[in-house]
Amino acid sequence: AAQPAVVASIMPVHALVASVMEGVGAPEIVVRGAASPHAYALKPSEARLLDRAKIVFWIGPIYETFLDKTLMTLASKGTVVPLMGAPGVTLLPTRGGGVWEDDDELHGHAKDAKPANDEADGHLFLDPANAKAMTRSIAATLAKADAANAARYEANAASLLTRLDALDLELRTKLSSARERPYLVFHDAYQYFEKRYGLKAAGSITVTPDRRPGARRLSELRKRIASAEAVCVFSEPQFEPSLVKTVVEGTNARTGVLDPLGADLTPGPNAYFAMMRNLAKAFAGCLAG
């Protein structure tokens, strides 16, 4: 039986959907490569994908902000699934750019407080436990829309959940030597990954990825590198790497590259696993050094 036309917003979501649909069909993807979903301009071809879609999977308005109003018009005839609301997904509050102290309390949020949706960090897919919750929601949505292939979706989802458990254990082992070693990131994209594996971020260079920090903030960050004895400062392929060179100038910190979206990966069922392994390799390589 022909599967419904399915579209996923970003590569990590697309990879999970592709895994659940394997053997039935393949989803389309909106944001490819090194493009940033924080400031994305929809192309006519991508608008047509959304217009034809029967099901659209996305994280939600806390992440792909460019889709928030667009989906109300282009995908009005289909089912739109914000995975941030999937049962079992854990949301964390956003953190500000700059230096971070102990995270017992961040910007007025108690450490384990559940944030309101408009205050939540949208990079929730970087925790395999959230990826499992998303997988269950994806499978349930597809099975309801396409009953003829429901058994295949459910079997694929069960296999994917097992693989995600194995990935979680693999990453925990790989990152054991990197725990508690302080570092700075380009922008605050990794707290789900950090909390899952006990990593210790000391701050982020930018408040938002598309806004360059001023001289005062750069000075604060250099002081933070020294006071926290930060081992590494990480850039990202989606954004300007020269800022990282400016921040580490005159310090002992090494530099590394983190890619929270798998910019260089070919979209498909295995891309989520490759992205997460690449993140773990980058963290472990620079921090364990």
Side-chain angles (χ1 to χ4, degrees), residues 16-27 152-153 156 163 269-270:
L16 298 176
V17 177
S19 290
V20 175
M21 293 183 67
E22 200 162 17
V24 178
R152 173 57 73 92
Y153 297 137
N156 285 349
R163 291 183 67 200
N270 294 314

Side-chain angles (χ1 to χ4, degrees), residues 99-110:
V99 299
W100 302 324
E101 301 302 332
D102 239 353
D103 70 349
D104 288 340
E105 192 160 313
L106 290 168
H107 301 276
H109 296 286

Side-chain angles (χ1 to χ4, degrees), residues 143-157:
K144 183 178 180 180
D146 181 18
N149 290 305
R152 173 57 73 92
Y153 297 137
E154 290 162 4
N156 285 349

Side-chain angles (χ1 to χ4, degrees), residues 44-165:
S45 59
E46 294 156 352
R48 288 192 292 272
L49 284 179
L50 294 171
D51 187 51
R52 294 194 297 264
K54 297 299 182 186
I55 305 173
V56 178
F57 293 103
W58 66 318
I59 297 299
I62 61 172
Y63 192 71
E64 309 96 322
T65 52
F66 74 98
L67 283 177
D68 193 9
K69 294 180 180 178
T70 302
L71 289 176
M72 292 170 56
T73 53
L74 286 179
S76 60
K77 299 187 291 290
T79 299
V80 177
V81 183
L83 293 169
M84 61 179 280
V89 163
T90 297
L91 296 177
L92 298 173
T94 55
R95 299 184 290 200
V99 299
W100 302 324
E101 301 302 332
D102 239 353
D103 70 349
D104 288 340
E105 192 160 313
L106 290 168
H107 301 276
H109 296 286
K111 185 176 181 180
D112 296 316
K114 185 176 181 181
N117 282 348
D118 61 351
E119 299 175 325
D121 181 341
H123 302 86
L124 56 95
F125 49 87
L126 293 181
D127 182 342
N130 280 344
K132 289 177 65 177
M134 292 161 64
T135 295
R136 295 187 187 99
S137 179
I138 290 164
T141 301
L142 290 170
K144 183 178 180 180
D146 181 18
N149 290 305
R152 173 57 73 92
Y153 297 137
E154 290 162 4
N156 285 349
S159 176
L160 179 55
L161 293 175
T162 300
R163 291 183 67 200
L164 287 168
D165 281 335

Side-chain angles (χ1 to χ4, degrees), residues 212-225:
R212 187 182 179 94
R216 181 178 176 182
R217 183 177 295 278
L218 291 174
S219 176
E220 290 175 351
L221 289 166
R222 286 196 192 93
K223 291 176 183 176
R224 181 58 169 160
I225 291 172

